[in-house]
Amino acid sequence: MKKAEAVQEKKVGLPVVNSFNEWDLLEEVILGVVDGAAVPPWHVVLHATLPEKQWDFFKKNSGKPFPLEKIEAAKKDLEEFVHILEGEGVTVRRPEVLDHCRPFAAQDWSSSCGLYAAMPRDVLLVIGDEIIESPMAWRSRYYEPIAYRSLIKEYFKKGARWTAAPKPQLSDELYNYDYIEPLDAQHVEYAITEFEPTFDAADFIKCGKDIFYQLSHVTNEFGIQWLQRHLGDTYRLRRVEVNDTHPMHIDASFMPLAPGKLLLNKERVPKVPGMFKSWDIMYAPTPCMPANHTLYMTSTWINMNVLMLDHERVIVEKGEETIIKAFKDFGLKPIPCHFRNFNTFGGSFHCATVDIRRRGALESYF
Ligand code: ARG
């Protein structure tokens, strides 16, 4: 067989959904949309995770759309990101645009609205050829997978596996209504209990057979147990101890970039986890984000929330000059993109995407 034919055969052979780590050559992603984003109702899980500066905004505006000019500005950033990804050879798919301002209810609770379909990383966990819909702990996010269903159905028809974790009841037993603000990261009491399994996909990060996770205000031990048993012996779920006073989503704390290259948040993971002793470590430099920039749902550490296109190319926020330089010194090729106005809505390039297909196979890196 000629070389070109062999490559072609390999291409045909790759499952439509195929993702085992953060760094194999990226071929297809889902990128979120901000259209229709709604301010979710106040609840203990928001209290535990949102920046204090923003609490009043949420209390006053719940059930309403986010300010339209902020949505428009974020859409511009997304357009630039699409353009860059396509230019780099990545196929970009988008969820359905829905109005998230509509109320819904279950037996024990109701929500005045949803949230958005801006952060596919939070809701869809892609492991190998399987798409798992997360059992999310925020009531306002209960129906979030719906915006992705037409894509998921298409991937399923092309051979992907499709699973939804047990639908959580999200009744009051799940929540720790006595939650109090921690004095420091050593004394965090989670805002959720062990009543039933819950997790957000963004509390996991894949390194082949080893999948790292943090416990958080949305991911409990019951959720971890469910996922480990579901995945079986092929994968090992490994906890990362993260010193975060408001933990939700691991990807602004702990980011494997390539085999042997780990990006860490020095405040949250000051001690390199034992398994990574032989890896090169890069600590994210202090973010450049101006203090007056609105961030509804995150800290400024989303400067390290980057997307790897392969072992070298990394998409990074254009104004984050310190991390751009640090990436170059670390042997990577940064590709800058404006994304501050998207950051406003709670994440950066990693949150805004979910890998559908990377050209690679399941391996063990440890
Ligand atoms: N909780 C993190 C922080 O405030 C942000 C994580 C965002 N990640 C995501 N997948 N939405 O620093």
Side-chain angles (χ1 to χ4, degrees), residues 119 121-122 202 244 246-252 268 297-302 305 346-347 350-351:
M119 311 288 171
R121 187 75 60 180
D122 297 359
D244 185 349
H246 303 92
M248 179 170 76
H249 306 151
I250 195 168
D251 52 3
R268 296 179 180 168
M297 304 163 103
T298 60
S299 70
T300 54
W301 284 114
I302 38 159
N305 190 264
H350 195 258
C351 316

Side-chain angles (χ1 to χ4, degrees), residues 24 41 96 100 125 164 218 279 281 288 313:
D24 281 337
E96 222 174 300
H100 296 279
L125 185 59
V218 291
W279 286 41
I281 308 295
C288 302
R313 287 173 299 158

Side-chain angles (χ1 to χ4, degrees), residues 22-26 257-258 308-313 358:
E22 296 291 322
W23 51 72
D24 281 337
L25 179 66
L26 185 64
L257 302 171
M308 299 300 295
L309 302 188
D310 57 21
H311 289 208
E312 289 183 326
R313 287 173 299 158
R358 286 186 187 264

